[in-house]
PDB file of all heavy atoms in Angstrom:
ATOM      1  N   ALA A 114       2.311   2.066  15.200  1.00  0.00           N
ATOM      2  CA  ALA A 114       1.887   3.371  14.660  1.00  0.00           C
ATOM      3  C   ALA A 114       0.900   4.016  15.643  1.00  0.00           C
ATOM      4  O   ALA A 114       0.449   3.378  16.600  1.00  0.00           O
ATOM      5  CB  ALA A 114       1.177   3.178  13.304  1.00  0.00           C
ATOM      6  N   VAL A 115       0.591   5.231  15.381  1.00  0.00           N
ATOM      7  CA  VAL A 115      -0.542   5.890  16.031  1.00  0.00           C
ATOM      8  C   VAL A 115      -1.786   5.520  15.236  1.00  0.00           C
ATOM      9  O   VAL A 115      -1.809   5.736  14.000  1.00  0.00           O
ATOM     10  CB  VAL A 115      -0.376   7.379  16.129  1.00  0.00           C
ATOM     11  CG1 VAL A 115      -1.631   8.052  16.748  1.00  0.00           C
ATOM     12  CG2 VAL A 115       0.833   7.711  16.994  1.00  0.00           C
ATOM     13  N   TYR A 116      -2.777   5.001  15.856  1.00  0.00           N
ATOM     14  CA  TYR A 116      -3.996   4.612  15.184  1.00  0.00           C
ATOM     15  C   TYR A 116      -5.087   5.643  15.437  1.00  0.00           C
ATOM     16  O   TYR A 116      -5.328   6.050  16.569  1.00  0.00           O
ATOM     17  CB  TYR A 116      -4.455   3.231  15.699  1.00  0.00           C
ATOM     18  CG  TYR A 116      -3.664   2.123  15.082  1.00  0.00           C
ATOM     19  CD1 TYR A 116      -2.352   1.906  15.469  1.00  0.00           C
ATOM     20  CD2 TYR A 116      -4.238   1.262  14.113  1.00  0.00           C
ATOM     21  CE1 TYR A 116      -1.600   0.892  14.866  1.00  0.00           C
ATOM     22  CE2 TYR A 116      -3.507   0.234  13.540  1.00  0.00           C
ATOM     23  CZ  TYR A 116      -2.179   0.057  13.920  1.00  0.00           C
ATOM     24  OH  TYR A 116      -1.433  -0.934  13.356  1.00  0.00           O
ATOM     25  N   TYR A 117      -5.713   6.065  14.354  1.00  0.00           N
ATOM     26  CA  TYR A 117      -6.742   7.123  14.391  1.00  0.00           C
ATOM     27  C   TYR A 117      -8.088   6.586  13.961  1.00  0.00           C
ATOM     28  O   TYR A 117      -8.234   5.850  13.012  1.00  0.00           O
ATOM     29  CB  TYR A 117      -6.373   8.249  13.467  1.00  0.00           C
ATOM     30  CG  TYR A 117      -5.126   8.974  13.803  1.00  0.00           C
ATOM     31  CD1 TYR A 117      -3.881   8.563  13.294  1.00  0.00           C
ATOM     32  CD2 TYR A 117      -5.130  10.098  14.618  1.00  0.00           C
ATOM     33  CE1 TYR A 117      -2.744   9.242  13.608  1.00  0.00           C
ATOM     34  CE2 TYR A 117      -3.973  10.748  14.980  1.00  0.00           C
ATOM     35  CZ  TYR A 117      -2.757  10.351  14.468  1.00  0.00           C
ATOM     36  OH  TYR A 117      -1.608  11.015  14.756  1.00  0.00           O
ATOM     37  N   CYS A 118      -9.098   6.978  14.716  1.00  0.00           N
ATOM     38  CA  CYS A 118     -10.463   6.755  14.304  1.00  0.00           C
ATOM     39  C   CYS A 118     -10.954   7.926  13.457  1.00  0.00           C
ATOM     40  O   CYS A 118     -10.635   9.070  13.755  1.00  0.00           O
ATOM     41  CB  CYS A 118     -11.350   6.593  15.535  1.00  0.00           C
ATOM     42  SG  CYS A 118     -13.094   6.282  15.180  1.00  0.00           S
ATOM     43  N   ALA A 119     -11.669   7.613  12.394  1.00  0.00           N
ATOM     44  CA  ALA A 119     -12.169   8.645  11.508  1.00  0.00           C
ATOM     45  C   ALA A 119     -13.629   8.408  11.204  1.00  0.00           C
ATOM     46  O   ALA A 119     -14.128   7.245  11.245  1.00  0.00           O
ATOM     47  CB  ALA A 119     -11.374   8.716  10.234  1.00  0.00           C
ATOM     48  N   ALA A 120     -14.393   9.470  10.876  1.00  0.00           N
ATOM     49  CA  ALA A 120     -15.782   9.332  10.543  1.00  0.00           C
ATOM     50  C   ALA A 120     -16.129  10.299   9.432  1.00  0.00           C
ATOM     51  O   ALA A 120     -15.627  11.407   9.406  1.00  0.00           O
ATOM     52  CB  ALA A 120     -16.650   9.626  11.765  1.00  0.00           C
ATOM     53  N   ASP A 121     -16.995   9.838   8.532  1.00  0.00           N
ATOM     54  CA  ASP A 121     -17.488  10.668   7.476  1.00  0.00           C
ATOM     55  C   ASP A 121     -18.982  10.502   7.292  1.00  0.00           C
ATOM     56  O   ASP A 121     -19.449   9.351   7.300  1.00  0.00           O
ATOM     57  CB  ASP A 121     -16.778  10.354   6.166  1.00  0.00           C
ATOM     58  CG  ASP A 121     -17.059  11.392   5.113  1.00  0.00           C
ATOM     59  OD1 ASP A 121     -16.408  12.469   5.131  1.00  0.00           O
ATOM     60  OD2 ASP A 121     -17.939  11.148   4.244  1.00  0.00           O
ATOM     61  N   PRO A 122     -19.753  11.571   7.133  1.00  0.00           N
ATOM     62  CA  PRO A 122     -21.207  11.467   7.102  1.00  0.00           C
ATOM     63  C   PRO A 122     -21.766  10.940   5.776  1.00  0.00           C
ATOM     64  O   PRO A 122     -22.950  10.759   5.687  1.00  0.00           O
ATOM     65  CB  PRO A 122     -21.671  12.893   7.362  1.00  0.00           C
ATOM     66  CG  PRO A 122     -20.542  13.741   6.849  1.00  0.00           C
ATOM     67  CD  PRO A 122     -19.289  12.949   7.164  1.00  0.00           C
ATOM     68  N   THR A 123     -20.945  10.753   4.767  1.00  0.00           N
ATOM     69  CA  THR A 123     -21.407  10.313   3.452  1.00  0.00           C
ATOM     70  C   THR A 123     -21.107   8.839   3.298  1.00  0.00           C
ATOM     71  O   THR A 123     -19.920   8.441   3.175  1.00  0.00           O
ATOM     72  CB  THR A 123     -20.749  11.141   2.369  1.00  0.00           C
ATOM     73  OG1 THR A 123     -21.016  12.534   2.540  1.00  0.00           O
ATOM     74  CG2 THR A 123     -21.327  10.688   0.967  1.00  0.00           C
ATOM     75  N   GLU A 124     -22.152   8.010   3.231  1.00  0.00           N
ATOM     76  CA  GLU A 124     -21.960   6.593   3.145  1.00  0.00           C
ATOM     77  C   GLU A 124     -21.897   6.075   1.692  1.00  0.00           C
ATOM     78  O   GLU A 124     -21.495   4.944   1.467  1.00  0.00           O
ATOM     79  CB  GLU A 124     -23.015   5.821   3.895  1.00  0.00           C
ATOM     80  CG  GLU A 124     -24.418   5.962   3.344  1.00  0.00           C
ATOM     81  CD  GLU A 124     -25.444   5.097   4.075  1.00  0.00           C
ATOM     82  OE1 GLU A 124     -25.016   4.239   4.863  1.00  0.00           O
ATOM     83  OE2 GLU A 124     -26.636   5.269   3.827  1.00  0.00           O
ATOM     84  N   SER A 125     -22.336   6.911   0.769  1.00  0.00           N
ATOM     85  CA  SER A 125     -22.224   6.506  -0.634  1.00  0.00           C
ATOM     86  C   SER A 125     -20.793   6.428  -1.062  1.00  0.00           C
ATOM     87  O   SER A 125     -19.896   7.125  -0.581  1.00  0.00           O
ATOM     88  CB  SER A 125     -22.971   7.492  -1.528  1.00  0.00           C
ATOM     89  OG  SER A 125     -22.420   8.763  -1.432  1.00  0.00           O
ATOM     90  N   ARG A 126     -20.521   5.498  -1.967  1.00  0.00           N
ATOM     91  CA  ARG A 126     -19.154   5.234  -2.434  1.00  0.00           C
ATOM     92  C   ARG A 126     -18.161   4.974  -1.297  1.00  0.00           C
ATOM     93  O   ARG A 126     -17.030   5.314  -1.344  1.00  0.00           O
ATOM     94  CB  ARG A 126     -18.655   6.432  -3.273  1.00  0.00           C
ATOM     95  CG  ARG A 126     -19.420   6.580  -4.614  1.00  0.00           C
ATOM     96  CD  ARG A 126     -19.092   7.888  -5.321  1.00  0.00           C
ATOM     97  NE  ARG A 126     -19.983   8.962  -4.954  1.00  0.00           N
ATOM     98  CZ  ARG A 126     -19.645  10.012  -4.253  1.00  0.00           C
ATOM     99  NH1 ARG A 126     -18.401  10.191  -3.863  1.00  0.00           N
ATOM    100  NH2 ARG A 126     -20.580  10.925  -3.943  1.00  0.00           N
ATOM    101  N   TRP A 127     -18.702   4.275  -0.281  1.00  0.00           N
ATOM    102  CA  TRP A 127     -17.906   4.092   0.921  1.00  0.00           C
ATOM    103  C   TRP A 127     -16.672   3.241   0.695  1.00  0.00           C
ATOM    104  O   TRP A 127     -15.660   3.411   1.385  1.00  0.00           O
ATOM    105  CB  TRP A 127     -18.762   3.454   2.013  1.00  0.00           C
ATOM    106  CG  TRP A 127     -19.039   2.002   1.837  1.00  0.00           C
ATOM    107  CD1 TRP A 127     -19.984   1.473   1.012  1.00  0.00           C
ATOM    108  CD2 TRP A 127     -18.417   0.968   2.506  1.00  0.00           C
ATOM    109  NE1 TRP A 127     -19.949   0.083   1.126  1.00  0.00           N
ATOM    110  CE2 TRP A 127     -19.032  -0.257   2.033  1.00  0.00           C
ATOM    111  CE3 TRP A 127     -17.422   0.863   3.475  1.00  0.00           C
ATOM    112  CZ2 TRP A 127     -18.630  -1.542   2.482  1.00  0.00           C
ATOM    113  CZ3 TRP A 127     -17.027  -0.423   3.923  1.00  0.00           C
ATOM    114  CH2 TRP A 127     -17.644  -1.566   3.440  1.00  0.00           C
ATOM    115  N   LEU A 128     -16.690   2.354  -0.283  1.00  0.00           N
ATOM    116  CA  LEU A 128     -15.537   1.540  -0.580  1.00  0.00           C
ATOM    117  C   LEU A 128     -14.373   2.338  -1.139  1.00  0.00           C
ATOM    118  O   LEU A 128     -13.239   1.877  -1.191  1.00  0.00           O
ATOM    119  CB  LEU A 128     -15.876   0.406  -1.524  1.00  0.00           C
ATOM    120  CG  LEU A 128     -16.811  -0.699  -0.961  1.00  0.00           C
ATOM    121  CD1 LEU A 128     -17.227  -1.643  -2.084  1.00  0.00           C
ATOM    122  CD2 LEU A 128     -16.100  -1.432   0.132  1.00  0.00           C
ATOM    123  N   MET A 129     -14.641   3.585  -1.558  1.00  0.00           N
ATOM    124  CA  MET A 129     -13.630   4.434  -2.095  1.00  0.00           C
ATOM    125  C   MET A 129     -13.046   5.394  -1.079  1.00  0.00           C
ATOM    126  O   MET A 129     -12.186   6.206  -1.394  1.00  0.00           O
ATOM    127  CB  MET A 129     -14.189   5.239  -3.264  1.00  0.00           C
ATOM    128  CG  MET A 129     -14.653   4.354  -4.455  1.00  0.00           C
ATOM    129  SD  MET A 129     -13.273   3.385  -5.121  1.00  0.00           S
ATOM    130  CE  MET A 129     -14.159   2.385  -6.283  1.00  0.00           C
ATOM    131  N   LYS A 130     -13.497   5.309   0.168  1.00  0.00           N
ATOM    132  CA  LYS A 130     -13.022   6.159   1.251  1.00  0.00           C
ATOM    133  C   LYS A 130     -11.780   5.574   1.810  1.00  0.00           C
ATOM    134  O   LYS A 130     -11.796   4.967   2.907  1.00  0.00           O
ATOM    135  CB  LYS A 130     -14.120   6.375   2.259  1.00  0.00           C
ATOM    136  CG  LYS A 130     -15.291   7.162   1.745  1.00  0.00           C
ATOM    137  CD  LYS A 130     -16.340   7.433   2.789  1.00  0.00           C
ATOM    138  CE  LYS A 130     -17.573   8.176   2.242  1.00  0.00           C
ATOM    139  NZ  LYS A 130     -17.153   9.555   1.814  1.00  0.00           N
ATOM    140  N   LEU A 131     -10.678   5.726   1.095  1.00  0.00           N
ATOM    141  CA  LEU A 131      -9.397   5.094   1.468  1.00  0.00           C
ATOM    142  C   LEU A 131      -8.311   6.112   1.783  1.00  0.00           C
ATOM    143  O   LEU A 131      -7.177   5.683   2.050  1.00  0.00           O
ATOM    144  CB  LEU A 131      -8.946   4.187   0.326  1.00  0.00           C
ATOM    145  CG  LEU A 131      -9.954   3.116  -0.158  1.00  0.00           C
ATOM    146  CD1 LEU A 131      -9.359   2.339  -1.346  1.00  0.00           C
ATOM    147  CD2 LEU A 131     -10.326   2.181   0.938  1.00  0.00           C
ATOM    148  N   ALA A 132      -8.610   7.356   1.707  1.00  0.00           N
ATOM    149  CA  ALA A 132      -7.653   8.404   1.960  1.00  0.00           C
ATOM    150  C   ALA A 132      -8.081   9.296   3.093  1.00  0.00           C
ATOM    151  O   ALA A 132      -9.267   9.425   3.381  1.00  0.00           O
ATOM    152  CB  ALA A 132      -7.430   9.242   0.704  1.00  0.00           C
ATOM    153  N   PRO A 133      -7.116   9.896   3.809  1.00  0.00           N
ATOM    154  CA  PRO A 133      -7.528  10.777   4.915  1.00  0.00           C
ATOM    155  C   PRO A 133      -8.479  11.889   4.507  1.00  0.00           C
ATOM    156  O   PRO A 133      -9.356  12.223   5.321  1.00  0.00           O
ATOM    157  CB  PRO A 133      -6.144  11.358   5.367  1.00  0.00           C
ATOM    158  CG  PRO A 133      -5.185  10.290   5.042  1.00  0.00           C
ATOM    159  CD  PRO A 133      -5.659   9.723   3.740  1.00  0.00           C
ATOM    160  N   TYR A 134      -8.323  12.423   3.309  1.00  0.00           N
ATOM    161  CA  TYR A 134      -9.242  13.521   2.933  1.00  0.00           C
ATOM    162  C   TYR A 134     -10.665  13.038   2.707  1.00  0.00           C
ATOM    163  O   TYR A 134     -11.553  13.874   2.557  1.00  0.00           O
ATOM    164  CB  TYR A 134      -8.683  14.217   1.679  1.00  0.00           C
ATOM    165  CG  TYR A 134      -8.612  13.371   0.420  1.00  0.00           C
ATOM    166  CD1 TYR A 134      -9.748  13.043  -0.310  1.00  0.00           C
ATOM    167  CD2 TYR A 134      -7.357  12.923  -0.005  1.00  0.00           C
ATOM    168  CE1 TYR A 134      -9.654  12.274  -1.458  1.00  0.00           C
ATOM    169  CE2 TYR A 134      -7.242  12.169  -1.186  1.00  0.00           C
ATOM    170  CZ  TYR A 134      -8.400  11.842  -1.905  1.00  0.00           C
ATOM    171  OH  TYR A 134      -8.266  11.079  -3.026  1.00  0.00           O
ATOM    172  N   ASP A 135     -10.899  11.756   2.673  1.00  0.00           N
ATOM    173  CA  ASP A 135     -12.244  11.208   2.504  1.00  0.00           C
ATOM    174  C   ASP A 135     -13.034  11.286   3.823  1.00  0.00           C
ATOM    175  O   ASP A 135     -14.262  11.034   3.792  1.00  0.00           O
ATOM    176  CB  ASP A 135     -12.194   9.770   2.052  1.00  0.00           C
ATOM    177  CG  ASP A 135     -11.673   9.646   0.635  1.00  0.00           C
ATOM    178  OD1 ASP A 135     -12.037  10.450  -0.237  1.00  0.00           O
ATOM    179  OD2 ASP A 135     -10.896   8.675   0.382  1.00  0.00           O
ATOM    180  N   TYR A 136     -12.406  11.631   4.905  1.00  0.00           N
ATOM    181  CA  TYR A 136     -13.047  11.591   6.232  1.00  0.00           C
ATOM    182  C   TYR A 136     -13.055  12.970   6.842  1.00  0.00           C
ATOM    183  O   TYR A 136     -12.023  13.656   6.887  1.00  0.00           O
ATOM    184  CB  TYR A 136     -12.348  10.583   7.142  1.00  0.00           C
ATOM    185  CG  TYR A 136     -12.593   9.174   6.705  1.00  0.00           C
ATOM    186  CD1 TYR A 136     -11.807   8.603   5.710  1.00  0.00           C
ATOM    187  CD2 TYR A 136     -13.576   8.401   7.300  1.00  0.00           C
ATOM    188  CE1 TYR A 136     -12.034   7.321   5.267  1.00  0.00           C
ATOM    189  CE2 TYR A 136     -13.782   7.099   6.879  1.00  0.00           C
ATOM    190  CZ  TYR A 136     -13.019   6.558   5.897  1.00  0.00           C
ATOM    191  OH  TYR A 136     -13.256   5.270   5.468  1.00  0.00           O
ATOM    192  N   GLU A 137     -14.183  13.347   7.356  1.00  0.00           N
ATOM    193  CA  GLU A 137     -14.391  14.706   7.831  1.00  0.00           C
ATOM    194  C   GLU A 137     -13.928  14.876   9.261  1.00  0.00           C
ATOM    195  O   GLU A 137     -13.444  15.900   9.696  1.00  0.00           O
ATOM    196  CB  GLU A 137     -15.853  15.065   7.696  1.00  0.00           C
ATOM    197  CG  GLU A 137     -16.204  16.487   8.110  1.00  0.00           C
ATOM    198  CD  GLU A 137     -17.645  16.859   7.849  1.00  0.00           C
ATOM    199  OE1 GLU A 137     -18.298  16.164   7.041  1.00  0.00           O
ATOM    200  OE2 GLU A 137     -18.110  17.862   8.432  1.00  0.00           O
ATOM    201  N   HIS A 138     -14.085  13.843  10.104  1.00  0.00           N
ATOM    202  CA  HIS A 138     -13.824  13.935  11.525  1.00  0.00           C
ATOM    203  C   HIS A 138     -12.786  12.956  11.957  1.00  0.00           C
ATOM    204  O   HIS A 138     -12.707  11.829  11.430  1.00  0.00           O
ATOM    205  CB  HIS A 138     -15.127  13.687  12.340  1.00  0.00           C
ATOM    206  CG  HIS A 138     -16.278  14.551  11.920  1.00  0.00           C
ATOM    207  ND1 HIS A 138     -16.292  15.924  12.204  1.00  0.00           N
ATOM    208  CD2 HIS A 138     -17.386  14.259  11.226  1.00  0.00           C
ATOM    209  CE1 HIS A 138     -17.428  16.403  11.681  1.00  0.00           C
ATOM    210  NE2 HIS A 138     -18.100  15.434  11.100  1.00  0.00           N
ATOM    211  N   TRP A 139     -11.977  13.354  12.933  1.00  0.00           N
ATOM    212  CA  TRP A 139     -10.852  12.527  13.369  1.00  0.00           C
ATOM    213  C   TRP A 139     -10.682  12.588  14.894  1.00  0.00           C
ATOM    214  O   TRP A 139     -10.933  13.635  15.526  1.00  0.00           O
ATOM    215  CB  TRP A 139      -9.538  13.025  12.757  1.00  0.00           C
ATOM    216  CG  TRP A 139      -9.498  12.815  11.282  1.00  0.00           C
ATOM    217  CD1 TRP A 139      -9.979  13.597  10.306  1.00  0.00           C
ATOM    218  CD2 TRP A 139      -8.884  11.712  10.610  1.00  0.00           C
ATOM    219  NE1 TRP A 139      -9.762  13.067   9.087  1.00  0.00           N
ATOM    220  CE2 TRP A 139      -9.097  11.877   9.236  1.00  0.00           C
ATOM    221  CE3 TRP A 139      -8.237  10.572  11.076  1.00  0.00           C
ATOM    222  CZ2 TRP A 139      -8.659  10.970   8.291  1.00  0.00           C
ATOM    223  CZ3 TRP A 139      -7.762   9.662  10.130  1.00  0.00           C
ATOM    224  CH2 TRP A 139      -8.003   9.857   8.753  1.00  0.00           C
ATOM    225  N   GLY A 140     -10.271  11.454  15.442  1.00  0.00           N
ATOM    226  CA  GLY A 140      -9.825  11.455  16.824  1.00  0.00           C
ATOM    227  C   GLY A 140      -8.368  11.858  16.931  1.00  0.00           C
ATOM    228  O   GLY A 140      -7.694  12.138  15.923  1.00  0.00           O
ATOM    229  N   ARG A 141      -7.867  11.885  18.146  1.00  0.00           N
ATOM    230  CA  ARG A 141      -6.504  12.291  18.394  1.00  0.00           C
ATOM    231  C   ARG A 141      -5.522  11.146  18.273  1.00  0.00           C
ATOM    232  O   ARG A 141      -4.308  11.406  18.244  1.00  0.00           O
ATOM    233  CB  ARG A 141      -6.393  12.957  19.747  1.00  0.00           C
ATOM    234  CG  ARG A 141      -7.151  14.273  19.876  1.00  0.00           C
ATOM    235  CD  ARG A 141      -6.920  14.922  21.189  1.00  0.00           C
ATOM    236  NE  ARG A 141      -7.639  16.180  21.306  1.00  0.00           N
ATOM    237  CZ  ARG A 141      -7.181  17.349  20.906  1.00  0.00           C
ATOM    238  NH1 ARG A 141      -5.968  17.434  20.362  1.00  0.00           N
ATOM    239  NH2 ARG A 141      -7.923  18.446  21.040  1.00  0.00           N
ATOM    240  N   GLY A 142      -5.994   9.929  18.261  1.00  0.00           N
ATOM    241  CA  GLY A 142      -5.110   8.784  18.030  1.00  0.00           C
ATOM    242  C   GLY A 142      -4.747   8.068  19.332  1.00  0.00           C
ATOM    243  O   GLY A 142      -4.814   8.640  20.431  1.00  0.00           O
TER     244      GLY A 142
END
Side-chain angles (χ1 to χ4, degrees):
V115 177
Y116 283 71
Y117 296 91
C118 180
D121 192 82
T123 303
E124 66 175 349
S125 62
R126 293 171 268 112
W127 74 282
L128 290 173
M129 299 299 174
K130 295 183 180 294
L131 306 177
Y134 63 76
D135 292 319
Y136 291 82
E137 184 174 341
H138 307 287
W139 293 85
R141 294 184 181 273

